[in-house]
Amino acid sequence: MATTARSLAAFSSSISAASRASRAGPPRASIGAAEREQARRLVAEFDPAVPLSSAVTPPSGWYTDPDFLQLELDRVFLRGWQAVGHIWQVKNPNDFFTGRLGNLEFIICRAANGKLHAFHNVCRHHASLLACGSGQKTCFQCPYHDFGLIPVKVATWGPFVLAKFDDDSTEDNVDHIVGDEWLGSASDLLSTNGIDTSLPHICRREYTINCNWKVFCDNYLDGGYHVPYAHGALASGLQLQSYETLGDHNFIGKSLKDSEQVQMEDIALCEGVQRGLESPAYSVGRYAPSVEMAMHHFHCLLHANLSL
Ligand code: FES
């Protein structure tokens, strides 16, 4: 992966050159008809109409089948708005960061004039990546033969930077509608309860976890069921009745340290679950009805998205 930081042209001029070029359009579906049909059969094996108390979880194929994952990428991740970063990562002119969603590479950057932009991080000539990591650049230029960039729709909501990879409309500033499009009625609830631009960005850590993405989501959605068993230190230190969040330096340092420990414990749990899901001895599980309501709701929402 090569990065060049040539500053022969102003960043803004390379933005406008890229904007003149045609948009990429919606990402191409990379799943064949037969595979899609097979994945849809797997979707239908979960029945969201069964009440939580007697429901079984989605079958293990939801977590192990490559065609199912491709259907999720097509139907969930590459449709609509996706949170890709924090506004402080592109706070200043010429700030940029890169990311990857499935097999889709992207760049988020702020031009010298302050305008936010997003691009596919792949050259339209011979597919070279244009940038990696994060930092400051006044110009993105392909290290290979100097072709332009393919733009992506970008917006901000509260502290989040959002990208939409299937939108080739020409409307420029969509910040005023993104909250409704992304979160629906929850946008007001969240913004009036502290999810706003005042939330600071302290640091970013990346972890590679050998499990399906839903295993990690499920782990967060079990209503704290696993906390007393798997996170002993966290459970003993949490006083939920008097819990408060203060921007104090020591508090932040200790939180980051504690969070690292919890993360390592969760990674071990999730990787163990993934191996279990791949075992022929397991097919479906059950919910703990008094605590795993959010996990069931998540599976029902995903079922609805994949059934469209
Ligand atoms: S691969 Fe980018 S210009 Fe040739």
Side-chain angles (χ1 to χ4, degrees):
M1 196 181 294
T3 307
T4 48
R6 292 169 59 186
S7 54
L8 297 175
F11 182 75
S12 54
S13 69
S14 66
I15 295 294
S16 56
S19 301
R20 282 197 300 276
S22 63
R23 284 184 174 269
R28 286 165 301 173
S30 50
I31 184 170
E35 291 80 11
R36 180 173 292 266
E37 193 44 46
Q38 168 61 26
R40 289 213 184 266
R41 272 200 289 274
L42 206 43
V43 172
E45 286 183 30
F46 175 73
D47 185 354
V50 178
L52 175 61
S53 56
S54 50
V56 294
T57 62
S60 55
W62 277 38
Y63 299 81
T64 59
D65 187 304
D67 294 331
F68 192 88
L69 177 62
Q70 192 56 54
L71 182 67
E72 290 177 321
L73 287 169
D74 289 349
R75 299 291 325 172
V76 178
F77 291 102
L78 300 182
R79 304 273 174 114
W81 293 102
Q82 302 293 337
V84 294
H86 190 282
I87 50 173
W88 284 23
Q89 290 176 271
V90 276
K91 194 174 173 188
N92 301 309
N94 303 326
D95 282 351
F96 81 94
F97 65 89
T98 59
R100 182 180 169 96
L101 184 62
N103 58 1
L104 192 151
E105 306 275 352
F106 60 85
I107 303 170
I108 308 291
C109 51
R110 192 170 293 284
N113 64 5
K115 191 164 164 32
L116 194 61
H117 295 272
F119 299 98
H120 287 278
N121 184 11
V122 58
C123 177
R124 67 177 73 212
H125 181 214
H126 286 331
S128 177
L129 293 185
L130 294 137
C132 65
S134 60
Q136 280 226 317
K137 268 182 187 284
T138 53
C139 173
F140 287 93
Q141 195 156 19
C142 181
Y144 216 164
H145 318 97
D146 199 16
F147 266 52
L149 301 170
I150 303 168
V152 168
K153 187 73 82 186
V154 68
T156 62
W157 183 88
F160 300 108
V161 177
L162 302 133
K164 195 177 187 188
F165 298 98
D166 63 337
D167 187 337
D168 58 359
S169 70
T170 50
E171 192 178 357
D172 206 17
N173 189 342
V174 289
D175 284 1
H176 59 292
I177 53 169
V178 73
D180 278 348
E181 287 190 358
W182 182 43
L183 297 167
S185 56
S187 63
D188 284 345
L189 191 67
L190 291 170
S191 55
T192 53
N193 282 280
I195 310 294
D196 57 30
T197 52
S198 67
L199 274 183
H201 181 257
I202 302 295
C203 74
R204 176 183 170 84
R205 292 175 182 169
E206 293 189 21
Y207 303 88
T208 301
I209 309 176
N210 291 316
C211 70
N212 180 269
W213 67 278
K214 297 187 293 300
V215 172
F216 198 68
C217 292
D218 289 350
N219 176 63
Y220 267 87
L221 296 173
D222 74 355
Y225 193 11
H226 73 285
V227 171
Y229 308 103
H231 304 304
L234 174 67
S236 64
L238 267 185
Q239 300 295 333
L240 288 176
Q241 286 73 20
S242 57
Y243 186 83
E244 58 182 343
T245 311
L246 301 172
D248 162 85
H249 191 69
N250 290 337
F251 173 85
I252 291 171
K254 182 170 182 326
S255 291
L256 289 174
K257 191 162 165 284
D258 292 349
S259 134
E260 183 72 14
Q261 181 179 340
V262 171
Q263 183 72 10
M264 290 302 136
E265 291 165 350
D266 277 333
I267 287 175
L269 291 172
C270 290
E271 292 189 342
V273 168
Q274 184 66 38
R275 289 174 65 179
L277 286 162
E278 287 165 11
S279 165
Y282 179 92
S283 56
V284 296
R286 295 294 302 271
Y287 296 96
S290 60
V291 281
E292 295 185 330
M293 300 81 85
M295 188 191 296
H296 181 248
H297 186 58
F298 165 53
H299 295 154
C300 292
L301 286 176
L302 185 57
H303 178 277
N305 271 273
L306 297 177
S307 302
L308 289 174

